[in-house]
Amino acid sequence: MRKNLLFRVLLFAVPFAMLFSCTKKDDMSIDEPQKVDLVFQANLTKPMLKAANLPYDEMLAALDCSWADYGTVHVRIATEAELPGGVLSEGVEPPGTDYYLGYTQVGDGIASDLVQLTPGKYYLTQFEIVEDDGEGGWNILLATPMANSAFKDFVTDVLPLGFDINNYEKNRLVLDVLCFNQQIAPAFGFEWFDYNIVEGDEICVFINCINEYDRDFYHQVFASDIYAWKTADGATPLEDTPYWVVGPNYELTTPEGGDGSQIVGAVTPMCFPLYDVLEDMPEGLLLQLNPVFGKTAEGELIYGDSVIVHISRDIIMEYLGLTEYEGIAEDLGDGISVKVELTDDPQAENPRYIHIMLTDCHKPAYFESHSNGSDVADIYALRFVGGDVLMTKILDFSQVGRDPHIAVAPNRRQLYVVDSDVSNTILVYDLYSMSSQTFGIGGDVPEKVTQLVYMNDTLFAADMNTDALTFYVLDPDGLNYSEYNEIDLSTDVDFSGGDLIAVKDDAGHSTLWSFSKNGGTSYVHEIDLATGSVTELQNEVNLNNTFGAMVYEGGDFIITGHGDDVGLKGWNTPFDFADSFTSYNPIPDITYTYGDLASPFILNRARPQ
């Protein structure tokens, strides 16, 4: 660990006449104020931090200063008239006259060029060692902190510092100077500081997701709009507006021969300025990731649900090189981890980057099909924001069929659509390429298919009738049907108006749940394909006219549609249909009559004892 350098600065006031004894007294007017020369001297001393328990110790200890890099001493000196009583208003840039002075080496320190002042009361309002930034400005390398700043306890005296200039007297002031870093300017009390973004003043993040179900795109880059938020607790935004709108980390391209929709092109690491993370963000910051899958021909971006990632203060300091590099991932839960990694590019200016990893492509888009009772059949991507479900139409299915039923592949990419009236045709929509193809089906084609569902990596097609359930395996590669199983029903429930979701218990046993409606009553049945058994789970009038269901939020939440209502209903499990639901309002406003809901998730439930 590099040690922080704490400098002692000596300020000398030397009578002008004593330094220049050859000056004749007769050459000076008796009424002209005699000027006194000031010399600023800085000597390197042993680091002595004044408040070892402050959180800034580790940052200061990592900063390094070398005299060889410095070239100019900057001081600002105010008169009593400019700063009455030496009191500086909060947040106001200190007044005074600026002096930029050269220096010479003196032992282990430096001595500045001379400054001349007439006798009187003065205040030193800024003291810094600076270097030319090459663009007409200055970069601060060392500085003395201000009164009431976070660093005030690290030094003996703070600014503004009053001193007197008297004729024929030698005044001596001692100042402590700390190595300066742009990120911690507020800790010096420099609220007025005009931030100059230099190397190290920004954070760069790279995001990818790991999808175990998609071997072709196992380590996928994660395209998203990104926002940074300050946080006081590591979980909730500190303010109403983002700390920084980072922007998209992707580009959109339009494939040739398509319908005008745009797909996600290049995805790159994103960098954004970091100003005051230690002062105003003691718990680091939050990154809001809004995943983007493409842009429709109508100009709407297709989003998935937001992902919130906490970037801790420790990760930020490790990234900035202010603490030792460890490269250890922080597990944030929900399949999210974050760590600092080093690039293997020897030409990289900053070898570090923050790597955000999302397990299994966390929070994919969800899909819903809708028919309003006419010949209109549209496919939407869904995004849940609070109590609203934002619907983006990605496909007009009315040219293919009237009553679509859909299933989402476990790889989150393909959407399979079949029309119950045209069961020998399957439409496959690829979310990543934003394109669709229609395939004729080979093999033993069912007369009617009312539902598609993925279970155990197998795509099932079902003819859900009044007296029997006939299931078929649909091979996604060859798109061939083969009969799987037929289950006779002993109940009087009409399964033809329902929906299917896949369920897996903690022992790995898989079943299907059927959501169906019969008159004003809704049913939930468990269907075990291996044994052929059908068990009624719920029979509730409160779940009226359910037309579709899907698993949400990774497996512990179910969302259904209501045929007599506007919106969707969310249910926890085990079900309490009387009062446990959450309502979602569709935007744009759509009255649901019937349709289908689907997501790539499987419902997780404890195995019955």
Side-chain angles (χ1 to χ4, degrees):
M1 178 71 72
R2 295 175 296 176
K3 298 298 183 183
N4 171 57
L5 304 184
L6 179 70
F7 295 91
R8 308 285 291 183
V9 181
L10 307 180
L11 171 61
F12 293 97
V14 183
F16 182 82
M18 293 176 62
L19 290 177
F20 298 89
S21 56
C22 60
T23 302
K24 294 182 181 180
K25 185 176 182 180
D26 294 342
D27 294 338
M28 301 178 63
S29 168
I30 194 171
D31 297 326
E32 182 180 348
Q34 184 177 1
K35 291 187 176 181
V36 178
D37 290 342
L38 304 181
V39 177
F40 296 92
Q41 182 174 340
N43 292 324
L44 179 60
T45 65
K46 182 180 179 180
M48 294 290 293
L49 299 181
K50 307 302 181 183
N53 292 326
L54 288 185
Y56 302 96
D57 284 2
E58 52 189 304
M59 172 172 272
L60 287 173
L63 297 178
D64 193 10
C65 303
S66 173
W67 288 117
D69 297 332
Y70 304 158
T72 303
V73 176
H74 168 229
V75 296
R76 182 174 293 178
I77 301 173
T79 64
E80 176 73 20
E82 291 175 311
L83 192 64
V87 177
L88 183 65
S89 300
E90 183 177 354
V92 176
E93 185 172 2
T97 301
D98 289 308
Y99 300 87
Y100 292 89
L101 312 171
Y103 69 82
T104 56
Q105 293 284 149
V106 178
D108 293 332
I110 61 170
S112 73
D113 294 342
L114 301 178
V115 172
Q116 293 183 339
L117 297 175
T118 57
K121 179 71 174 181
Y122 294 90
Y123 295 95
L124 181 64
T125 58
Q126 280 187 260
F127 186 88
E128 304 155 350
I129 310 298
V130 298
E131 66 177 355
D132 191 340
D133 65 2
E135 299 179 356
W138 302 93
N139 290 329
I140 302 175
L141 303 174
L142 299 101
T144 299
M146 308 298 292
N148 299 320
S149 69
F151 282 167
K152 62 182 176 59
D153 292 330
F154 283 78
V155 295
T156 303
D157 293 301
V158 293
L159 303 180
L161 180 64
F163 62 94
D164 295 316
I165 296 295
N166 299 312
N167 283 327
Y168 309 110
E169 289 186 4
K170 180 178 180 180
N171 298 305
R172 184 173 184 269
L173 298 177
V174 179
L175 297 173
D176 295 336
V177 180
L178 299 174
C179 291
F180 183 80
N181 185 283
Q182 295 272 353
Q183 286 87 14
I184 54 175
F188 279 82
F190 296 173
E191 290 87 355
W192 69 88
F193 195 79
D194 183 13
Y195 291 96
N196 181 22
I197 304 302
V198 297
E199 183 182 350
D201 280 344
E202 62 182 9
I203 270 190
C204 297
V205 297
F206 179 75
I207 313 164
N208 78 342
C209 57
I210 299 174
N211 189 341
E212 61 178 313
Y213 296 101
D214 195 347
R215 305 311 303 181
D216 294 334
F217 295 89
Y218 183 69
H219 284 278
Q220 302 175 40
V221 292
F222 196 77
S224 61
D225 292 341
I226 307 174
Y227 303 86
W229 300 81
K230 296 181 182 180
T231 178
D233 57 8
T236 55
L238 186 62
E239 299 173 346
D240 294 333
T241 56
Y243 160 70
W244 193 262
V245 178
V246 183
N249 66 345
Y250 58 88
E251 295 179 357
L252 295 173
T253 60
T254 305
E256 294 184 5
D259 62 357
S261 298
Q262 294 179 309
I263 63 175
V264 173
V267 181
T268 59
M270 287 298 295
C271 303
F272 60 95
L274 179 69
Y275 295 148
D276 50 1
V277 66
L278 290 181
E279 184 72 6
D280 288 347
M281 291 181 277
E283 292 298 324
L285 53 85
L286 299 177
L287 289 186
Q288 176 184 343
L289 314 177
N290 292 343
V292 174
F293 296 92
K295 195 174 187 178
T296 68
E298 287 73 26
E300 287 192 81
L301 285 170
I302 301 176
Y303 286 104
D305 285 354
S306 292
V307 180
I308 303 297
V309 179
H310 177 223
I311 308 296
S312 70
R313 180 177 172 275
D314 291 339
I315 287 288
I316 293 173
M317 293 187 64
E318 181 183 348
Y319 165 79
L320 293 173
L322 301 175
T323 59
E324 294 289 347
Y325 169 71
E326 295 183 354
I328 300 175
E330 289 188 1
D331 186 357
L332 306 182
D334 292 331
I336 303 173
S337 62
V338 57
K339 68 176 180 177
V340 179
E341 288 194 0
L342 300 180
T343 178
D344 55 5
D345 182 2
Q347 304 299 321
E349 293 184 1
N350 186 349
R352 291 176 170 85
Y353 66 95
I354 294 179
H355 186 188
I356 300 173
M357 293 157 286
L358 311 173
T359 300
D360 201 15
C361 295
H362 192 75
K363 300 278 190 180
Y366 305 95
F367 301 92
E368 183 267 346
S369 68
H370 166 76
S371 175
N372 63 2
S374 65
D375 291 332
V376 177
D378 296 326
I379 309 294
Y380 294 89
L382 305 184
R383 179 188 180 198
F384 292 87
V385 179
D388 295 327
V389 53
L390 307 182
M391 304 174 58
T392 303
K393 187 174 75 172
I394 61 174
L395 187 62
D396 183 351
F397 192 74
S398 58
Q399 300 301 317
V400 180
R402 181 191 62 82
D403 189 10
H405 299 271
I406 59 181
V408 184
N411 66 9
R412 284 42 169 173
R413 295 182 62 196
Q414 279 81 30
L415 176 67
Y416 294 92
V417 189
V418 64
D419 179 34
S420 61
D421 295 332
V422 191
S423 301
N424 63 347
T425 301
I426 291 286
L427 182 142
V428 182
Y429 181 85
D430 189 291
L431 181 63
Y432 288 6
S433 66
M434 298 196 59
S435 62
S436 62
Q437 290 181 284
T438 303
F439 297 90
I441 302 302
D444 186 10
V445 180
E447 179 180 350
K448 185 175 184 180
V449 169
T450 62
Q451 188 57 233
L452 297 175
V453 63
Y454 253 101
M455 186 176 70
N456 294 335
D457 300 334
T458 300
L459 179 58
F460 290 99
D463 180 4
M464 302 181 68
N465 215 321
T466 57
D467 55 358
L469 300 177
T470 306
F471 288 91
Y472 302 83
V473 174
L474 180 59
D475 184 354
D477 293 327
L479 289 176
N480 291 315
Y481 282 118
S482 60
E483 187 169 337
Y484 179 77
N485 195 10
E486 181 170 296
I487 301 174
D488 293 327
L489 302 178
S490 59
T491 73
D492 295 329
V493 177
D494 182 356
F495 280 82
S496 60
D499 203 355
L500 291 171
I501 63 171
V503 181
K504 182 179 290 186
D505 63 25
D506 51 14
H509 182 68
S510 298
T511 59
L512 293 171
W513 280 10
S514 168
F515 289 74
S516 57
K517 62 178 182 291
N518 188 320
T521 303
S522 297
Y523 293 84
V524 180
H525 287 83
E526 184 173 50
I527 305 168
D528 193 321
L529 293 184
T531 65
S533 64
V534 177
T535 304
E536 182 179 304
L537 299 179
Q538 292 290 337
N539 183 341
E540 294 286 347
V541 296
N542 295 299
L543 193 60
N544 185 31
N545 285 333
T546 300
F547 65 77
M550 71 177 183
V551 184
Y552 180 59
E553 286 288 308
D556 58 2
F557 201 64
I558 294 175
I559 292 179
T560 66
H562 267 200
D564 293 340
D565 201 355
V566 176
L568 303 175
K569 305 294 185 183
W571 308 90
N572 293 312
T573 56
F575 296 106
D576 180 9
F577 291 147
D579 55 14
S580 68
F581 64 83
T582 301
S583 295
Y584 298 99
N585 301 311
I587 298 176
D589 188 9
I590 292 177
T591 300
Y592 291 82
T593 303
Y594 63 93
D596 198 24
L597 288 161
S599 79
F601 293 123
I602 297 175
L603 180 66
N604 300 314
R605 62 186 287 262
R607 188 176 180 87
Q609 300 298 321

